[in-house]
Amino acid sequence: MCEIGRRMGVPGFEFTRIEDVFAEFAALTESYRGLSYETLGLEGKLWPCKDPVHEDGQVVLFERDFPSGRGKFVPAEFAPPNELPSPEFPFVLTTGRLLEHWHTGTMTRRASALETIESEPYADMRPADMAALGLLEGDEIAVTSRRGSITLKVRASEAPGAGSIFIPFCWREAAANVLTSDALDPFGKIPEFKFSAVRVEKLHAPTLADSRGAAE
């Protein structure tokens, strides 16, 4: 990046260390002034921090007022999800990010180290929900909503709530958004990706007889 900057004729692209980059950033950012790369520490300093050597920084950012004046609080009425679980689709699907892969994985899945850590699609379910469906760790499942279906492996986890299933949306082989609702929040116009009704089914494991029949 420094070489690109120099070739474009932009002055100041002479960084040789990460510390130098942070020093320029802090010098140009009022709330970071006084901080240095060396004083960040293992857990980092809170900003703003008037004395980074002896203080950890300001715990509460806006103690007395907001830069633009008073804050505005608006009451909101609870609105139920667009679709609720039903006998046909008894589970709640929620989607989200995965630590090792960013968004659609278009960049991180090109990184061999990250791909080695998490290399295939999976869904998290509670052990009790798995047991009720006769599922074991690593079983192939089909997750189906009113919009589509994907197949992937299941993992036991206490993270999802009871009756819920979590699928990271970084897998192009098992794209979670094939399942999600396209309903929009009436005010923010945000798609309802975090709550969709789905059903979960264990896929038939191929047997030796299946393999022979396919060969014939």
Side-chain angles (χ1 to χ4, degrees), residues 18-20 22-23 35-41:
I18 296 174
E19 291 86 339
D20 299 333
F22 185 85
L35 289 176
S36 69
Y37 191 87
E38 290 77 15
T39 56
L40 290 179

Side-chain angles (χ1 to χ4, degrees), residues 138-155:
D139 279 350
E140 290 277 352
I141 60 172
V143 183
T144 304
S145 73
R146 292 176 174 85
R147 290 155 293 279
S149 182
I150 62 174
T151 61
L152 66 175
K153 291 185 178 180
V154 66
R155 292 183 184 177

Side-chain angles (χ1 to χ4, degrees), residues 186-206:
F187 302 103
K189 308 304 180 185
I190 302 170
E192 199 167 62
F193 291 150
K194 304 299 181 183
F195 197 109
S196 304
V198 298
R199 66 171 176 265
V200 179
E201 300 165 291
K202 181 177 181 179
L203 291 182
H204 169 61

